[in-house]
Amino acid sequence: FPVTIEVVIGSHRADIKTPKLVVELQASAISAEEIQQRERHYRNMVWLLRGDEFAENISLRQRDGYLSFRWKWPRKSWWSATKPVVIDLPDCMIHVKKLHNNIPCGGWCNKISYNEFMYRCGFLIS
């Protein structure tokens, strides 16, 4: 199956395009306006944030069947994201299900394995 890296789609350049969706890799700060613009442009997409730079500011806590998290000094622009957000932390990946827009911010998430992420994005076939 075709996976394309750095492909131009309309007026934007997608980081990765699979048959299922576009994966936008984000390592640096991005404005809320840019997040909204990309989300309007790509119908099926997921954000993959490189979380090693701010991992020390995220704490995870097991709850009944899910994880809650607290993010000190969050990148506030992510409050505007409506598409799925996955954060690649040094010891795990988390799929953010709810991100509250206050300081310190928090929410809830699920851990996701690298293989599960790859499968959901269309990189792996079961």
Side-chain angles (χ1 to χ4, degrees), residues 36-76:
Q36 293 165 357
Q37 185 180 61
R38 289 189 200 176
E39 289 186 349
R40 280 191 304 270
H41 188 74
Y42 303 123
R43 291 183 186 192
N44 295 317
M45 71 165 293
V46 62
W47 293 99
L48 179 58
L49 309 186
R50 182 176 165 195
D52 58 343
E53 291 182 10
F54 54 84
E56 63 195 26
N57 297 326
I58 293 182
S59 60
L60 301 173
R61 196 162 134 190
Q62 186 64 50
R63 299 287 184 174
D64 297 325
Y66 67 94
L67 288 173
S68 67
F69 67 91
R70 190 74 133 178
W71 188 355
K72 292 186 278 184
W73 305 292
R75 295 182 175 176
K76 297 174 191 168

Side-chain angles (χ1 to χ4, degrees), residues 1-89:
F1 59 91
V3 172
T4 311
I5 298 173
E6 290 284 326
V7 61
V8 176
I9 301 173
S11 60
H12 293 270
R13 183 188 326 262
D15 292 322
I16 300 171
K17 183 178 183 315
T18 73
K20 287 186 175 184
L21 51 75
V22 167
V23 180
E24 280 292 293
L25 307 173
Q26 200 61 44
S28 58
I30 184 173
S31 70
E33 294 77 23
E34 182 67 18
I35 290 170
Q36 293 165 357
Q37 185 180 61
R38 289 189 200 176
E39 289 186 349
R40 280 191 304 270
H41 188 74
Y42 303 123
R43 291 183 186 192
N44 295 317
M45 71 165 293
V46 62
W47 293 99
L48 179 58
L49 309 186
R50 182 176 165 195
D52 58 343
E53 291 182 10
F54 54 84
E56 63 195 26
N57 297 326
I58 293 182
S59 60
L60 301 173
R61 196 162 134 190
Q62 186 64 50
R63 299 287 184 174
D64 297 325
Y66 67 94
L67 288 173
S68 67
F69 67 91
R70 190 74 133 178
W71 188 355
K72 292 186 278 184
W73 305 292
R75 295 182 175 176
K76 297 174 191 168
S77 58
W78 289 107
W79 294 343
S80 68
T82 60
K83 303 292 185 179
V85 174
V86 174
I87 303 175
D88 187 10
L89 298 170

